Amino acid sequence: MDEPTTTRTPGRERLLAAASRLFYREGINGVGVDRILEEAGVTRATMYRHFAGKEALVAAYLESEDATLRGYFADAEAEGGTPTELLGRVIDTIAIDITSYHTRGCPFINAAAEFPDADSPVRRIVTAHRTWFRQALAELARAAGLPDPDAAAASLVLLRDAALVGGYLDGVEVTAPAFVATARQVAGLDV
Amino acid sequence: MDEPTTTRTPGRERLLAAASRLFYREGINGVGVDRILEEAGVTRATMYRHFAGKEALVAAYLESEDATLRGYFADAEAEGGTPTELLGRVIDTIAIDITSYHTRGCPFINAAAEFPDADSPVRRIVTAHRTWFRQALAELARAAGLPDPDAAAASLVLLRDAALVGGYLDGVEVTAPAFVATARQVAGLDV
DNA sequence: CAGCAGGTAGAACGATCGTTCTACGATATC
DNA sequence: GATATCGTAGAACGATCGTTCTACCTGCTG
């Protein structure tokens, strides 16, 4: 019958790509559905066939960001090496990410700024992403033998947030070195 | 019947207070002028007499936040003590701030998430605030004799951002201790 | 008391918001 | 080749956006 429908619906993909780009660059409440449709080269009916509404589009955007980051993490783990090396590689990857890709801050933080209701679907995705990231870091810190892995993970989450925000508002040339230096200190990589 | 001049224009003050509360709690694009007017108990004409438009109201909101934070800093300096003590007091003040007042993230970061144009008046206020804060911290770090005061200041700005965001999204009970511990480490207060 | 500002009130503006509607075209199955 | 299905097209909906308008009321100054 039907094989995987990954390329079956180009409309949906173009829609999600355009929405992701616009939501990230201009804020969620700042872009209307019309802008997204125009950018995607698609009409209203197509969008409402693939997504329940604008909020579902926002959710899909954040879900795909989450999937991308989990992919980064899995790739880093697949490369092997000691947990300590892996920790250093995660820090470097974040520095590259804020330099090249996420130059407009953190998608999740920015989204949360516009969605005050903590029970909303959007905020639930943000919370789930952050919980996963902190736990993944805590496991890594534990494997690396850090004295207080949970505290170290909390600090590293803190630092990634700050690096993303700072790269946007202060310029990456100021923020990235400060992030790497502080993070390596927290991770016990530099004594 | 003459009251002090501070209450001479209660309309403007009530307007700014209501706008600040709503902008911070629900996001800027998320609240309409109607909501602000209703909350302030004021009508449209009154608002447009005191402010050029909604964006001017946003600017006034951020300016007042900036003034408040500069006030905190000045108060801490006025208390006297060594630069090192002052540095520690600034860190403690931030921890108290994210615990008690700024529980919905950083007003400036949240605003920047909704204003993509770096040349816009709103973003200029954000930039000015951050520049001031980093320079003030750098002076303090220099006075405290830290080896690389500019780097330390950059890290501390990073950490305050993260603490504000983390307090909102992860809960202050997780974030505040992580912030204090990391910041004291960066500031050379704990060896 | 007359006159005049400045704050207030509420209606109304055009534009845009997110959403729903019906009609049309392409594709795949029987 | 007829038919059912799904994506597409574009108009239209009510609601809300930020802003402007005219009329009214108040408290000063002469």
Side-chain angles (χ1 to χ4, degrees):
Chain A
M1 275 219 176
D2 277 341
E3 286 305 300
T5 57
T6 48
T7 61
R8 182 65 67 92
T9 55
R12 195 194 138 93
E13 288 173 18
R14 296 237 308 274
L15 222 24
L16 183 53
S20 296
R21 189 172 51 241
L22 289 171
F23 285 156
Y24 183 60
R25 283 214 293 233
E26 308 190 17
I28 294 169
N29 285 329
V31 301
V33 170
D34 292 19
R35 282 284 305 285
I36 298 170
L37 299 177
E38 186 184 10
E39 198 102 350
V42 152
T43 59
R44 287 189 146 61
T46 303
M47 172 190 151
Y48 281 94
R49 184 159 303 274
H50 289 297
F51 298 95
K54 187 189 179 184
E55 190 160 327
L57 208 43
V58 177
Y61 150 61
L62 291 177
E63 297 276 19
S64 85
E65 285 284 343
D66 178 64
T68 300
L69 290 171
R70 291 186 194 234
Y72 285 166
F73 214 93
D75 289 349
E77 277 182 335
E79 282 188 30
T82 69
T84 303
E85 289 170 347
L86 187 46
L87 213 45
R89 214 180 301 141
V90 167
I91 291 172
D92 292 340
T93 303
I94 293 172
I96 293 173
D97 179 61
I98 67 171
T99 304
S100 305
Y101 300 105
H102 284 124
T103 58
R104 248 277 300 180
C106 173
F108 299 96
I109 293 172
N110 289 356
E114 303 195 62
F115 286 78
D117 181 8
D119 294 331
S120 66
V122 168
R123 285 288 301 278
R124 286 185 189 279
I125 295 170
V126 173
T127 300
H129 169 74
R130 295 178 69 83
T131 301
W132 159 77
F133 188 62
R134 183 172 29 256
Q135 285 178 351
L137 283 178
E139 280 179 32
L140 209 50
R142 190 169 294 111
L146 289 188
D148 190 345
D150 289 327
S155 289
L156 287 174
V157 170
L158 226 69
L159 286 169
R160 183 189 68 141
D161 292 341
L164 282 162
V165 169
Y168 170 38
L169 295 179
D170 300 332
V172 74
E173 66 282 354
V174 176
T175 306
F179 164 72
V180 172
T182 314
R184 291 184 65 85
Q185 200 175 342
V186 167
L189 298 175
D190 300 329
V191 183
Chain B
M1 287 276 292
D2 263 346
E3 296 295 313
T5 54
T6 49
T7 60
R8 181 68 63 92
T9 55
R12 198 194 136 94
E13 287 173 20
R14 296 238 309 272
L15 222 22
L16 183 54
S20 297
R21 189 173 49 240
L22 288 171
F23 286 156
Y24 183 62
R25 283 214 292 234
E26 308 190 17
I28 294 169
N29 285 330
V31 300
V33 170
D34 293 19
R35 281 283 305 286
I36 298 171
L37 299 177
E38 188 184 6
E39 199 101 351
V42 153
T43 60
R44 285 187 148 60
T46 303
M47 171 188 154
Y48 281 94
R49 182 159 305 274
H50 290 295
F51 298 94
K54 185 189 179 184
E55 191 160 328
L57 208 43
V58 177
Y61 150 59
L62 292 177
E63 297 277 18
S64 86
E65 285 283 344
D66 178 63
T68 299
L69 289 171
R70 291 186 194 235
Y72 286 165
F73 214 92
D75 289 349
E77 277 182 336
E79 282 188 32
T82 69
T84 303
E85 289 170 347
L86 185 47
L87 214 44
R89 216 180 301 142
V90 167
I91 292 172
D92 291 340
T93 303
I94 293 173
I96 293 173
D97 179 62
I98 67 171
T99 303
S100 304
Y101 300 105
H102 285 125
T103 58
R104 247 276 301 179
C106 173
F108 300 96
I109 293 172
N110 290 356
E114 302 196 63
F115 286 79
D117 181 8
D119 295 330
S120 66
V122 168
R123 285 288 299 281
R124 285 185 190 279
I125 296 171
V126 173
T127 301
H129 169 74
R130 295 178 70 81
T131 301
W132 160 77
F133 187 62
R134 184 171 30 256
Q135 285 177 352
L137 284 177
E139 279 179 34
L140 210 50
R142 190 169 296 112
L146 289 188
D148 191 344
D150 290 327
S155 288
L156 287 174
V157 171
L158 228 68
L159 287 169
R160 184 191 64 143
D161 292 342
L164 281 162
V165 169
Y168 170 38
L169 295 179
D170 300 331
V172 75
E173 65 282 355
V174 176
T175 306
F179 164 72
V180 172
T182 313
R184 292 184 66 85
Q185 198 175 343
V186 167
L189 298 175
D190 301 328
V191 184

